[in-house]
Amino acid sequence: MIFIYYSMKRGMDKPLPSRTRPEGDHVLDGCTPWPEELAARFREAGHWRGETFDRLLRAWTRADPHRIALVHGDRRLDRAELERSADRVAHRLAGLGVRAGERVVLQLPNVPEFFTVFFGLQRLGAIPVLALPLHRRSEIVHLCRLSGAVAYVAPDVHQGFDHRELAAEVAEECPDLRHVLVVGDPGAHLPLDGPGAAGELPPAPDDASEVALLLVSGGTTGLPKLIPRTHDDYAYNVRASAELCGFGPGTVYLAALPVAHNFALGCPGVLGALHAGGTAVLTDEADPDTAFALVERERVTVTALVPPTVRIWAAATEWDEADLSSLRLLQVGGARLLPEHAARVRAAFGPVLQQVFGMAEGLLNYTEPDAPEHVVLHTQGRPLSPDDEVRVVDEHDRDVPPGATGRLLTRGPYTLRGYYKATAHNATAFTADGHYRTGDLVRRTPTGHLVVEGRVKEQINRGGDKVAAAEVEEQLAHHPAVLDSAVVPVPDDLLGERTCAFVVPRAGTAAPDRNAAAAFLRERGLAPYKIPDRVESLDALPVTAVGKTDKKALTALARELATEGARRNEGNPRS
Ligand code: OOB
């Protein structure tokens, strides 16, 4: 495999001795480490190599300083420039007092600065908290508080939204936040480009068992959780993914999904392309016009998409004449890709489709690039690592018979052992022996491939964007006319699912309709994709025999209302 290009060159295949940890505020304090004997096994197996992301960046640069690392519009950064820019950011942040172990909320779209800040923080040993571009006040305040962030890095204006105004509100609500840094016009805040610390920085922390980044979970309970990813585990995630996907120096990866999301960041993503000696092209526009033109111009060889986008791309191939012949691998994941849609994608692009069933928490499943057609069309892939442990169980954690559908539990060398600072939640999110309860319902084929059949977690998957029902319900509870609410999925042809909120009004009030609820939730700073697509008023929520809200009944009702609505529209096409 070509991906080992760098590691072979540098003789990095042997585990490096682990170093001592520098003084400071350690994120590991809020984390659950792997048991020592397992950690030793993962080092022994060569999964964990003691490499920090700072060391990796320097190794990539040394191997080929003038190879282009990142392309964005007319900008092209080679590895040496990426490293220099990261060092400038490190000096800038050090000058502001940011130290090893401290957290910085990083909310940037797909621009080179995402990576200069990411690697600048790695240089300092500070930890990026990767907020999604669509997160708003509710999420950013929560992420800053939960992580105890000392700084927030944001764009000036992105897709019409002014992050500087958001930052001002966030700063007011988060006393630990010392600095807001803006890429572009800083307004009342600090520019990212600015004077830095004079002189040499202290050496970069070199303990690869430390946390390298905090990813945001899709969530099932009230507010998003933070997922600690160590250098050891995430470097393995990236390297093994790049190897499986056949990444090499010729790889040109198009990042059209947000790079703050695990899929486009490290599965194999931009980091995988850099690790393999390739190039990453960054864009925020995943529409076929923009993306096809980029594929043609940059000779893109691989990209990652969510199902709704890949369907739009497949349809667009019928009229768009861009030359897409450079495309070798088209990864699709984040939500279920139905077999008939997979077949259409294959018909449009040829045998380049790969299904990816992954999660920010760790476990990744890929269909192999050379997998037979029926595997690519009908399964969501096989676990990446030989040391990924996968169990399919019933509601009492008993293994179901082979081939039966059950709940997916997993543990392994790159799957978290606990969310950050979430002791109570961790008690139920993991089994006593450290398996993560994914909340997904799967069935395993005789070849070990997984088919995602559904889920038990209370999450709506809106075309790859995850919405925790409880988070929206909690926000709705603040509305003066809302006594109670329940948020459930409704099937949707393009997104797979949309959200429907059932609302019970307080006595003597009327429940807010869709527009009023949307305005209210926007005002509360909720990310736009979490705002319910439908709002229905009910006198009371149905309950189960034990008195819990009957979400099954509500899901059925939402489905009924949606079909009725569709039927009415068919009868009256102008409505
Ligand atoms: C990816 O990560 P997250 O953290 O946004 O969401 C994880 C959840 C999974 O537990 C599952 O419920 C769903 O998203 N999911 C899929 C899927 N891929 C993810 N459901 C059905 N089919 C698939 N192929 O979504 C993610 C992370 C890394 C790589 C790819 C996706």
Side-chain angles (χ1 to χ4, degrees):
M1 281 278 177
I2 327 174
F3 103 98
I4 30 176
Y5 171 68
Y6 284 111
S7 37
M8 297 281 289
K9 262 194 168 165
R10 296 192 55 240
M12 293 195 301
D13 11 345
K14 284 196 203 77
L16 294 164
S18 67
R19 311 276 167 98
T20 48
R21 215 165 270 165
E23 297 296 310
D25 177 8
H26 295 295
V27 179
L28 274 184
D29 295 346
C31 304
T32 318
W34 279 265
E36 200 34 61
E37 77 258 28
L38 266 184
R41 208 173 85 208
F42 298 150
R43 291 196 182 95
E44 186 66 24
H47 303 329
W48 293 3
R49 298 184 174 175
E51 297 157 342
T52 61
F53 278 93
D54 181 65
R55 280 227 260 160
L56 284 168
L57 174 67
R58 278 157 223 288
W60 302 337
T61 307
R62 261 201 313 279
D64 201 347
H66 301 303
R67 183 178 284 276
I68 296 299
L70 301 173
V71 177
H72 180 246
D74 299 332
R75 289 171 73 192
R76 307 179 92 79
L77 270 79
D78 66 19
R79 278 140 205 269
E81 283 170 87
L82 172 60
E83 189 180 302
R84 269 199 308 278
S85 306
D87 284 342
R88 258 200 310 278
V89 172
H91 272 89
R92 172 79 171 137
L93 293 171
L96 294 170
V98 177
R99 301 278 172 265
E102 290 184 323
R103 277 75 63 201
V104 171
V105 171
L106 169 53
Q107 186 187 32
L108 287 177
N110 290 2
V111 290
E113 285 78 7
F114 179 96
F115 292 95
T116 60
V117 176
F118 181 89
F119 283 109
L121 291 167
Q122 299 301 332
R123 171 65 186 83
L124 294 177
I127 289 129
V129 179
L130 299 187
L132 296 173
L134 283 176
H135 282 157
R136 294 293 178 254
R137 189 179 71 239
S138 170
E139 292 86 9
I140 301 294
V141 165
H142 168 67
L143 296 176
C144 287
R145 286 190 180 152
L146 174 60
S147 68
V150 297
Y152 166 48
V153 183
D156 46 9
V157 177
H158 178 58
Q159 292 183 344
F161 182 80
D162 194 328
H163 286 257
R164 297 163 302 192
E165 287 169 19
L166 166 64
E169 293 170 6
V170 171
E172 209 154 275
E173 293 187 47
C174 303
D176 286 343
L177 198 72
R178 299 198 300 260
H179 306 290
V180 171
L181 291 125
V182 174
V183 174
D185 172 2
H189 308 288
L190 296 173
L192 178 69
D193 287 328
E200 293 259 309
L201 296 177
D206 210 15
D207 181 351
S209 68
E210 260 288 4
V211 173
L213 64 156
L214 286 159
L215 291 173
V216 178
S217 131
T220 49
T221 57
L223 285 159
K225 299 279 179 294
L226 286 174
I227 299 161
R229 303 295 305 254
T230 66
H231 297 271
D232 271 331
D233 97 66
Y234 207 61
Y236 174 49
N237 183 117
V238 168
R239 187 177 66 243
S241 295
E243 176 176 21
L244 179 121
C245 296
F247 276 31
T251 293
V252 181
Y253 177 86
L254 176 67
L257 290 176
V259 290
H261 189 268
N262 189 28
F263 195 7
L265 182 67
C267 306
V270 174
L271 295 178
L274 295 177
H275 185 73
T279 297
V281 179
L282 309 176
T283 178
D284 277 313
E285 314 292 332
D287 66 280
D289 280 354
T290 314
F292 286 10
L294 276 174
V295 172
E296 181 173 286
R297 189 185 87 187
E298 301 294 336
R299 305 297 294 157
V300 167
T301 61
V302 49
T303 191
L305 299 174
V306 288
T309 315
V310 80
R311 287 177 60 201
I312 294 169
W313 280 35
T317 57
E318 286 177 23
W319 64 81
D320 194 306
E321 301 200 328
D323 175 7
L324 307 178
S325 61
S326 54
L327 215 51
R328 300 266 169 281
L329 190 68
L330 183 53
Q331 303 183 287
V332 181
R336 178 78 198 271
L337 180 68
L338 296 174
E340 56 269 32
H341 296 153
R344 240 173 274 158
V345 171
R346 228 182 109 98
F349 293 96
V352 295
L353 176 64
Q354 175 187 57
Q355 294 215 36
V356 186
F357 163 40
M359 53 204 73
E361 283 79 359
L363 180 71
L364 300 173
N365 304 275
Y366 294 96
T367 57
E368 302 76 2
D370 58 355
E373 182 172 351
H374 67 94
V375 168
V376 177
L377 297 188
H378 296 278
T379 85
Q380 280 63 58
R382 193 151 55 174
L384 172 65
S385 171
D387 284 314
D388 279 323
E389 294 177 68
V390 159
R391 288 183 62 201
V392 185
V393 302
D394 65 15
E395 65 270 38
H396 305 294
D397 289 351
R398 287 179 306 222
D399 292 301
V400 299
T405 298
R407 301 165 181 223
L408 173 66
L409 307 182
T410 185
R411 60 181 184 185
Y414 60 98
T415 295
L416 87 174
R417 303 290 295 212
Y419 290 98
Y420 180 56
K421 290 192 175 161
T423 319
H425 181 68
N426 288 340
T428 53
F430 294 84
T431 62
D433 63 2
H435 282 84
Y436 166 57
R437 297 182 192 278
T438 65
D440 292 311
L441 284 173
V442 303
R443 130 177 105 71
R444 205 168 7 180
T445 70
T447 50
H449 291 83
L450 300 179
V451 180
V452 181
E453 297 282 11
R455 62 174 178 254
V456 285
K457 57 188 168 191
E458 287 199 8
Q459 187 184 72
I460 293 108
N461 192 335
R462 217 172 155 278
D465 287 331
K466 313 301 180 325
V467 183
E471 185 181 0
V472 183
E473 290 159 7
E474 264 175 37
Q475 292 287 351
L476 282 169
H478 291 277
H479 191 286
V482 173
L483 178 66
D484 203 356
S485 73
V487 174
V488 295
V490 253
D492 179 78
D493 177 51
L494 183 62
L495 293 183
E497 293 177 349
R498 287 182 191 265
T499 47
C500 173
F502 287 101
V503 172
V504 180
R506 281 184 193 285
T509 66
D513 63 9
R514 160 68 183 42
N515 287 346
F520 176 77
L521 294 172
R522 256 196 305 274
E523 184 56 36
R524 288 194 60 82
L526 198 66
Y529 63 88
K530 296 181 187 170
I531 290 174
D533 296 292
R534 243 187 125 95
V535 175
E536 300 287 341
S537 174
L538 286 181
D539 293 339
L541 298 179
V543 288
T544 63
V546 288
K548 284 206 232 168
T549 302
D550 190 345
K551 289 239 168 150
K552 245 194 197 154
L554 287 172
T555 307
L557 177 59
R559 184 184 288 255
E560 231 172 79
L561 291 170
T563 357
E564 234 172 64
R567 225 178 288 129
R568 260 203 312 275
N569 283 347
E570 263 165 39
N572 178 11
R574 285 211 206 112
S575 74

